[in-house]
Amino acid sequence: MPTTPLSNARRFRISLLAWVLVVGCGGAGSSGAPASDAPVPEGSSSGTSLVPATVDPNAAYTPVDLTVVLDAERAVEQVVPITGGVVTATGSDGTAYTLEIPPDALPEATTIGLTPAVTADGLPPGAGGPRGATYAVQMSPDGLSLLNFATLTIVPAAPLAPSEQVAFGYRGDGKDVIAAAVVVDSPEIKIRILHFSGAGVTNGGSGGVDPAFIALGSDAERRFESTINELIQAERQRMLRNEAGEESLIEQIGEVLDQFEAEVVKARVRAASDSCDAGKAAVQTVLTLQRTRQLLGLAGGDTSSADLADVLNKAVRACVLEEFTACVEHHRFFLMLGVYHLVLRQHAIFPVLTSGTLAEARDLTVKCLTFKLKLESTAHLNQAGWTHDSSVTAEVILRFNPEELLINGAATYENTTYESHMPSCSVATTTGGATIAILGLLFEVESGKPDANGDYPDAGVSGYDLRYAVDNSGETAAITCPDGVALPASPYPVWSLCYYDARVDQIDTGSGLRQTEWDLHPAGDELLADKVWDKVGIEDPSCNEKGSFELHHAPGA
């Protein structure tokens, strides 16, 4: 076979391909949950198909799992700052594993671990027969997603010829193995890492990279990723031998992309409005397909920018409706605001959401983030025998205000009773009433740990912060006393004076009163929290005020 020098353009295009496929599909060792797709059938109009055949088009994929035995004594942990770093571990056989983490790949300083594997059994047979030595390493923390690619370099104890090297990656502790994305122009064994689990290299025999890895993957997208990664590994071998083959590779990849579009992408686009997960899968798949074609200089296929805009609107609507349903049925209101912010951010970055989609997201967020605050309170004041008892009730509807990004509201509170007594005098009372204004309701969310699907089933609210103000209650009294009896100074308005006096320590300058101590109710209850109190005036101990707050979730009220 004739050989030709490798052009910089060729190296650049293949490197970009490795990059975009790992970005779009999760990369070797991705911890993302597999999507549910119809299998991709065999059948290419231009030769042998690169996508695995299946007998039953509705059958689920059967992933290949490895049995990985780790050498805990050889484990290495190191704190890596956001500026990056290098972590190295050596297996008991002398195999060296070096993980290079570039700057800004980590959101914060993180303890990174490498644990060499003693064995990693379960890989399919190599093209040249039974596989030889296998070298693998487990990375921790499992499931960590990097913001930029790390590079895992493996130097086996016994040298492997490039024609014998087959790189692989897996999820978790050995689940769902596929071919790994390699650095194509490196004579060393280098694997691109974006998500943490495990990765390694095996001796595939004289046949090298073999078609067995095409069939790997728990879903269509994982198989697509494994297929492309295997083609890249084969291209690396050709590049190291300085052989031609660029156009053949691009054409083969184009066939895979065409099949993937016909059998997976279009199905996902049709299902984009079925659920939030289906919508997100459709968006991710369309973006990956378009970007991959652009970087390879391939024709655009049947999936256009208009299709992407349509899918985005369907996906956003599905996610908003799903979250709103959970809000109404299970009172999981605390995640709705985050969804709404994501919608706004998505539209700011890629402004294709229709006015109808944005209006619906806004309307459902307001309906979800609607609450009812109930107040009951009685103030008692005793001034040298002149007693006052004044009670109020209030019910305030609080709603999310999209313009101010606040949850607030106001209502009139009722002065239900006002009684006053003074020795030797008669007292005629008049009840009052005024406004209670909720300036803002904040809540602190504890997300808990995500499950396999990326959801947060244990998420909940750990506290509420209520900012509010009450106007003067306005009750009055007319006093009639016998001649010569001196009239005391008027304490009006009794209730609001005592209420504020009992909360001098809760007044936040510029923000009114503040209530942060609540008794929280179990998740899923319509009554979210309450608080009962019995307070004595701070500046005037003759005041005593008793009462309670109840905070209810009232979606759509």
Side-chain angles (χ1 to χ4, degrees), residues 20-189:
V20 74
L21 287 172
V22 180
V23 169
C25 304
S30 169
S31 62
S36 176
D37 298 294
V40 181
E42 187 177 25
S44 170
S45 60
S46 56
T48 303
S49 172
L50 295 171
V51 183
T54 53
V55 176
D56 182 357
N58 297 312
Y61 292 120
T62 301
V64 173
D65 298 334
L66 305 182
T67 300
V68 180
V69 178
L70 299 178
D71 189 349
E73 294 183 358
R74 297 277 178 168
V76 173
E77 285 191 341
Q78 180 178 320
V79 177
V80 177
I82 61 173
T83 53
V86 178
V87 183
T88 300
T90 304
S92 58
D93 63 351
T95 299
Y97 304 93
T98 302
L99 184 66
E100 299 176 67
I101 300 177
D104 302 324
L106 295 169
E108 59 185 1
T110 306
T111 300
I112 302 298
L114 291 181
T115 305
V118 178
T119 57
D121 297 330
L123 289 167
R131 293 197 180 279
T134 298
Y135 310 91
V137 67
Q138 192 92 10
M139 291 162 279
S140 66
D142 184 60
L144 176 68
S145 293
L146 301 177
L147 304 177
N148 193 5
F149 284 96
T151 302
L152 175 67
T153 301
I154 302 177
V155 181
L160 288 180
S163 61
E164 299 174 342
Q165 298 169 8
V166 180
F168 61 90
Y170 56 82
R171 291 169 166 163
D173 56 359
K175 300 293 189 295
D176 197 13
V177 64
I178 63 171
V182 297
V183 177
V184 292
D185 57 355
S186 171
E188 296 181 292
I189 302 168

Side-chain angles (χ1 to χ4, degrees), residues 304-555:
S304 65
S305 297
D307 293 321
L308 177 57
D310 182 58
V311 169
L312 275 169
N313 278 275
K314 289 179 178 178
V316 165
R317 187 170 186 272
C319 290
V320 170
L321 286 172
E322 203 167 283
E323 202 60 53
F324 179 71
T325 299
C327 173
V328 173
E329 295 181 356
H330 306 291
H331 301 291
R332 286 175 60 88
F333 62 88
F334 39 85
L335 300 180
M336 191 74 185
L337 188 58
V339 171
Y340 183 64
H341 284 163
L342 286 175
V343 170
L344 296 181
R345 189 177 307 129
Q346 174 64 61
H347 188 63
I349 296 172
F350 193 42
V352 296
L353 298 182
T354 67
S355 58
T357 299
L358 293 171
E360 182 178 45
R362 174 190 174 108
D363 179 58
L364 294 183
T365 301
V366 172
K367 288 181 178 179
C368 170
L369 295 176
T370 300
F371 306 86
K372 184 185 297 181
L373 181 71
K374 295 182 178 180
L375 167 66
E376 293 187 358
S377 173
T378 297
H380 175 76
L381 174 62
N382 188 337
Q383 290 185 319
W386 185 14
T387 62
H388 306 264
D389 292 279
S390 183
S391 299
V392 304
T393 62
E395 186 172 289
V396 190
I397 298 298
L398 314 179
R399 291 188 179 88
F400 173 64
N401 186 324
E403 283 73 28
E404 299 178 356
L405 296 180
L406 289 174
I407 298 171
N408 51 26
T412 298
Y413 67 84
E414 181 183 0
N415 184 204
T416 53
T417 62
Y418 174 39
E419 296 179 357
S420 181
H421 302 279
M422 175 186 252
S424 304
C425 298
S426 62
V427 183
T429 61
T430 301
T431 56
T435 298
I436 176 171
I438 307 304
L439 309 176
L441 174 67
L442 304 176
F443 46 84
E444 184 175 350
V445 179
E446 293 290 342
S447 62
K449 294 183 178 180
D451 61 16
N453 296 320
D455 297 324
Y456 292 82
D458 300 326
V461 175
S462 60
Y464 295 93
D465 188 342
L466 182 74
R467 311 291 181 101
Y468 68 105
V470 292
D471 289 342
N472 290 335
S473 45
E475 66 270 56
T476 60
I479 308 169
T480 303
C481 296
D483 293 343
V485 176
L487 297 178
S490 171
Y492 319 130
V494 172
W495 180 81
S496 52
L497 285 176
C498 284
Y499 191 84
Y500 270 101
D501 190 40
R503 289 166 175 75
V504 170
D505 57 342
Q506 293 181 5
I507 297 176
D508 191 348
T509 303
S511 308
L513 294 167
R514 187 177 183 185
Q515 178 69 42
T516 58
E517 296 180 359
W518 297 85
D519 295 321
L520 305 181
H521 285 240
D525 280 7
E526 176 270 338
L527 177 57
L528 305 176
D530 61 10
K531 186 63 179 177
V532 178
W533 59 80
D534 186 345
K535 293 177 174 290
V536 175
I538 295 175
E539 296 181 353
D540 185 357
S542 63
C543 268
N544 173 247
E545 185 264 327
K546 299 179 181 180
S548 65
F549 274 139
E550 287 186 1
L551 181 62
H552 298 254
H553 184 220

Side-chain angles (χ1 to χ4, degrees), residues 12-22 228 232 253 292 296:
F12 180 67
R13 290 172 67 189
I14 301 303
S15 297
L16 280 177
L17 175 63
W19 183 86
V20 74
L21 287 172
V22 180
I228 300 298
I232 294 172
I253 291 173
T292 304
L296 292 175

